[in-house]
Amino acid sequence: MEITNVSEYQEIAKQKLPKMVYDYYASGAEDQWTLHENRFAFTKILFRPRILIDVSKIDMTTTVLGFKISMPIMIAPTALQKMAHPEGEYATARAASAAGTIMTLSSWATSSVEEVASTGPGIRFFQLYVYKDRNVVAQLVRRAERAGFKAIALTVDTPRLGRREADIKNRFTLPPFLTLKNFEGLDLGKMDKADDSGLASYVAGQIDRSLSWKDVKWLQTITTLPILVKGVLTAEDARIAVEAGASGIIVSNHGARQLDYVPATIMALEEVVKAAQGRVPVFLDGGVRRGTDVFKALALGASGIFIGRPVVFSLAAEGEAGVRKVLSMLREEFELTMALSGCRSLKEITRDHIVTEWDSPHPRPAPRL
């Protein structure tokens, strides 16, 4: 079967992967309302295309924190990629580099920062969880710096792990042949079996629940790398992030894996963008499966988007070639959307190019007499 869109990889991954692994990647928290809403909310945004504009040349390039990339489509941090494919994060790093875009490596990767750096050149960010032992955190940040990573994406929505019922049912744990590579030498690389989710038990034991805004300041004392705050959903927190010295904000609900019944990220985006007032770039993470989704996010003020599940599903299906194909398909769809909307560069994509369900109150139907 010829793959013609990003979503088709999910079904292939479901057939290829063990149930425990597929469910870990695919599932959300509790009722999974937000999981479905992350996708469905994009259908509430329609285009207002402009016509008779010369779109023979289209420029999708942009800069993120000063780094030039080929398109505003980047790779989000997704943990445990070697469960999907033996090459795991190596394959993802090479695919991102070939596409001229940014890969974000998870703290809980099955390849270390040094191993990912060894795959060759590329712009890479490092996603950070803050452990109770701050020496572990400082050590990890220094290693990421030495390995040439260009920014820290601090995940702020996980003081505890969300209730992922599929993982509880499956007694999820890391397969015995894999470790959390960044923590291997620190006796923190293994995940014990538990009566529920092995990952939930690991998080309860290791992750610092006392994490607060003062720790964003603390992080700035141990690294010169720019810090992106990942997990912002409200204007209030966007304003505090800017005041705390964040270099950027990632609007994220953790792939709908943390608190259920939070808004889809595309619904929360505009509020955060308005609160940031252009002082820092705002990015969207969650639910993007089409080039049309990328355009909608940029029209609502995002400086770029990150994709997560499409990467692990395509990795499971076809390894590095699958990830390359996902990036290529999204790029082509996005370029086509720009052309058909009458936009030749990213700066030409404006709020006027879309209309949303929440833009104006819906007229009520006339009462029956």
Side-chain angles (χ1 to χ4, degrees):
M1 179 183 85
E2 188 185 351
I3 300 282
T4 55
N5 67 67
V6 166
S7 296
E8 287 173 348
Y9 276 118
Q10 182 163 353
E11 192 51 44
I12 298 169
K14 188 175 186 178
Q15 290 162 18
K16 287 186 83 162
L17 292 171
K19 185 178 189 309
M20 179 189 80
V21 172
Y22 173 78
D23 286 354
Y24 168 75
Y25 290 140
S27 64
E30 296 186 353
D31 297 329
Q32 303 192 108
W33 182 88
T34 298
L35 182 71
H36 299 296
E37 193 67 10
N38 265 359
R39 282 296 306 129
F40 180 68
F42 279 101
T43 69
K44 299 174 185 177
I45 304 167
L46 301 180
F47 293 119
R48 300 181 70 248
R50 302 302 306 276
I51 56 168
L52 293 177
I53 292 166
D54 177 357
V55 289
S56 54
K57 289 190 178 67
I58 290 192
D59 180 11
M60 288 181 286
T61 60
T62 188
T63 55
V64 171
L65 302 182
F67 298 99
K68 190 165 186 184
I69 55 175
S70 67
M71 57 184 174
I73 301 164
M74 299 165 281
I75 291 180
T78 47
L80 315 178
Q81 290 185 17
K82 282 186 180 175
M83 293 197 309
H85 187 275
E87 293 222 301
E89 294 86 1
Y90 291 84
T92 302
R94 289 194 296 261
S97 183
T101 193
I102 292 164
M103 173 203 182
T104 316
L105 183 72
S106 170
S107 276
W108 294 336
T110 39
S111 312
S112 68
V113 288
E114 294 83 4
E115 287 170 336
V116 168
S118 76
T119 62
I123 305 161
R124 301 186 183 108
F125 293 172
F126 181 69
Q127 176 270 332
L128 182 67
Y129 285 115
V130 176
Y131 278 54
K132 290 173 183 173
D133 183 344
R134 293 307 172 90
N135 291 329
V136 167
V137 180
Q139 204 175 321
L140 197 51
V141 168
R142 280 195 292 272
R143 283 171 55 200
E145 280 183 335
R146 279 200 300 272
F149 284 69
K150 302 300 184 191
I152 301 292
L154 175 67
T155 293
V156 295
D157 59 6
T158 316
R160 295 173 61 174
L161 202 71
R163 185 176 171 81
R164 305 167 192 178
E165 292 177 3
D167 290 351
I168 295 168
K169 282 187 172 73
N170 294 330
R171 302 282 186 268
F172 175 81
T173 190
L174 195 57
F177 56 91
L178 293 176
T179 61
L180 303 176
K181 269 289 189 173
N182 287 314
F183 300 97
E184 207 173 35
L186 301 162
D187 281 341
L188 296 168
K190 281 287 181 194
M191 198 179 289
D192 297 327
K193 278 194 163 58
D195 289 338
D196 48 13
S197 157
L199 183 60
S201 297
Y202 181 86
V203 168
Q206 301 300 337
I207 299 302
D208 191 348
R209 293 184 187 181
S210 75
L211 190 70
S212 69
W213 287 107
K214 70 178 187 296
D215 296 302
V216 177
K217 296 281 192 194
W218 168 75
L219 207 49
Q220 289 164 349
T221 68
I222 65 164
T223 183
T224 55
L225 293 178
I227 295 163
L228 299 166
V229 177
K230 178 178 182 288
V232 175
L233 290 170
T234 64
E236 295 90 327
D237 284 337
R239 284 189 282 270
I240 299 170
V242 172
E243 285 155 18
S247 297
I249 290 168
I250 302 175
V251 176
S252 171
N253 54 32
H254 212 108
R257 295 156 77 78
Q258 281 300 100
L259 180 62
D260 201 12
Y261 295 96
V262 295
T265 49
I266 194 69
M267 297 288 281
L269 175 63
E270 198 167 25
E271 173 183 330
V272 173
V273 167
K274 284 177 178 170
Q277 295 180 320
R279 290 176 290 176
V280 300
V282 175
F283 305 96
L284 176 105
D285 173 7
V288 172
R289 299 292 182 273
R290 286 278 189 190
T292 48
D293 300 337
V294 180
F295 188 100
K296 289 171 183 180
L298 268 60
L300 287 168
S303 294
I305 65 94
F306 289 89
I307 53 166
R309 286 187 179 91
V311 171
V312 286
F313 292 146
S314 60
L315 186 64
E318 295 178 345
E320 182 183 336
V323 183
R324 283 180 180 237
K325 182 100 185 274
V326 155
L327 291 168
S328 167
M329 283 190 293
L330 284 174
R331 179 190 174 89
E332 286 167 17
E333 288 178 8
F334 177 53
E335 184 180 28
L336 181 60
T337 307
M338 285 180 68
L340 295 178
S341 298
C343 297
R344 295 159 294 195
S345 67
L346 303 191
K347 69 175 185 294
E348 289 188 358
I349 300 173
T350 68
R351 186 63 166 78
D352 292 337
H353 285 97
I354 58 166
V355 60
T356 73
E357 274 192 13
W358 56 92
D359 278 340
S360 57
H362 293 286
R364 289 183 182 174
R368 285 184 183 162
L369 299 173

